[in-house]
Structures are given as C-alpha cells and as structure tokens.
Amino acid sequence: MKSTTIFSGSEHQWIVFGRDESKAERIIDTNQYLIKTASEAILLDPGGIELFSPMLSGVLQHLKLEQLTTLFASHQDPDIISSLGLWDKTIPNAKLYAPWLWEGFIRHFGMENITYMPIKDEGGTLELGPISLRFIPAHYLHSSGNFNVYDPNARILMSGDIGAALEKGDVPMFVENFGRHVQYMEMFHRRWMPSNTAKNNWVARVRELEIDMLAPQHGRIFKGEMVREFLEWFEKLDVGKAG
Ligand code: FE
C-alpha cells in the first residue's frame, strides 16, 4: 500500500493510501484518505475488508492508534466500508460519520463498539482538533444517501465516487492531461451516476467552493485547473445510461 502526503499545513496533513500492490485482479482499486491533526485523525472511506491489514499498518506509520478517533463513509458500498467490522475491534471507541439513510445497512458490516453518527441529508460540520470539515451533500452521486468532505483550510474536496476513474496499474497520483483521462472516467460516470438533476445541482454548489484539489475514491486526483475542467466535463455529461 502506497501512501502520499498531498497536503501539509500548520494544523494538519492529508495522506492518501492507494495503489495496493497486493490487490486481487478483479477488485477495484481505491483511495483511502487520512486527515491528521496533532491530537486526532479521521479516515475517509476506510476501504474494503480485504484492505484492512495493509491499511492498518499504513495508518500506524503516521500515527498512534489512539489518535484515530473518527471514520467517515461517503456511502454504503463494500469498497467504501466493508472493513468496518475489523475497525470495530481495533478502535472500539471511534465514531463513524455516515449518511443517516444507510445506518441500518452499514451495520451489517459488523458494528458493536463504534458509535454511528448519522449525517443529516443537509450535511453538517465536524470539528477535528483544531480544524473544521464540512459534509457536502452529494445524494444520488451515485448513492441515494451520499456525502463529500470539504476542508476549507486545505481547499480539498474529497468527492467519493465523483471524479472516479478506472485505470489499471500503478498510475500517477494526479491527473496530468485531462483530455487523455476522460476515457477512464466516462463509462463510470454514465453508468454509476443515475441523475442529471442531482449532478447539475452538485456542480452548481461545488463551483461556489474554493477547491485546489478534487480527490476521488478511485483513480487520480484533480489539481488546480484540472478541477475546473472536470466540473465542465461532468456538467455536460449525460448520465444515467446503461449500455
Ligand atoms: Fe460506490
């Protein structure tokens, strides 16, 4: 499991884990994001059950287990949070922030100790040590209860499946050429994003945010000008099509 620090500020850091070399061929590659302050840390979309061991050892290279106080699941999918039952035994005092809509489903991954903190449809704010994070609604993109995490200080939007790309191998961390990247995103967005209305509403809201990096759960991260290019491309894309 590779880890790369993508933001380092006076109060906190963002570290991305991904490009897992032990991943089985037919499992989709995922990005896991750790936001770390001096006192505590949150893991965004902790990943699948098969990733738990490399993720735990990866996280422990950056902090002590007691510092990992919080988990976040953007939605209910197995590649997002099927590791929950193992985290539950490892950090029993932690809190999991996840959409209220999915509580009865996510608990099937095994959850006896961690506290479920339901996020309301309108989103909300999370104070993590000295920093403040915002849960941005991204419902129907693709899940019917779905959130992004925005960090106004680092100007990073963790966008979940929005901006995801399916590209094989140990690919670079950032998008270098937007035009060439489209081929890895197009089918994913057309097929997994069900609603043009939800998409256009999200694009309008996200344009109001100051974003230096748009960080999806699969594939490369968009930085600077690439963020604007992505929003333009996504706005024009007709989604909700099978075949
Ligand atoms: Fe998903």
Side-chain angles (χ1 to χ4, degrees), residues 75 77 79 142 161:
H75 61 290
D77 275 343
D79 61 321
H142 66 97
D161 277 329

Side-chain angles (χ1 to χ4, degrees), residues 26-185:
R26 292 192 175 198
I27 280 182
I28 187 169
D29 196 34
T30 53
N31 298 325
Q32 289 70 235
Y33 295 92
L34 180 71
I35 309 174
K36 180 191 152 191
T37 72
S39 55
E40 46 184 318
I42 182 170
L43 188 57
L44 310 180
D45 287 354
I49 194 165
E50 84 294 343
L51 267 187
F52 176 76
S53 304
M55 272 309 296
L56 179 60
S57 58
V59 162
L60 288 175
Q61 286 172 17
H62 295 274
L63 44 72
K64 293 202 181 87
L65 201 53
E66 307 82 74
Q67 275 177 278
L68 185 59
T69 56
T70 316
L71 303 175
F72 163 81
S74 60
H75 61 290
Q76 83 292 357
D77 275 343
D79 61 321
I80 301 285
I81 189 66
S82 66
S83 56
L84 181 61
L86 297 172
W87 288 111
D88 188 72
K89 302 283 181 282
T90 312
I91 44 169
N93 298 319
K95 291 175 175 161
L96 168 69
Y97 285 83
W100 73 270
L101 187 69
W102 291 115
E103 178 169 357
F105 298 71
I106 285 176
R107 283 181 176 277
H108 281 271
F109 290 128
M111 193 176 166
E112 288 165 12
N113 302 301
I114 289 177
T115 308
Y116 196 104
M117 306 293 285
I119 308 171
K120 292 186 213 145
D121 278 342
E122 60 268 33
T125 304
L126 171 67
E127 309 297 330
L128 185 81
I131 65 158
S132 181
L133 300 169
R134 281 174 60 194
F135 300 126
I136 306 290
H139 307 308
Y140 299 100
L141 298 168
H142 66 97
S143 170
S144 47
N146 201 123
F147 292 95
N148 299 160
V149 176
Y150 179 59
D151 177 345
N153 182 284
R155 296 159 55 125
I156 298 175
L157 181 72
M158 190 286 198
S159 57
D161 277 329
I162 306 169
L166 302 180
E167 203 176 351
K168 287 225 160 75
D170 184 14
V171 300
M173 200 48 77
F174 293 97
V175 177
E176 286 152 12
N177 179 315
F178 188 83
R180 257 183 283 167
H181 193 59
V182 165
Q183 62 185 304
Y184 304 113
M185 301 193 290

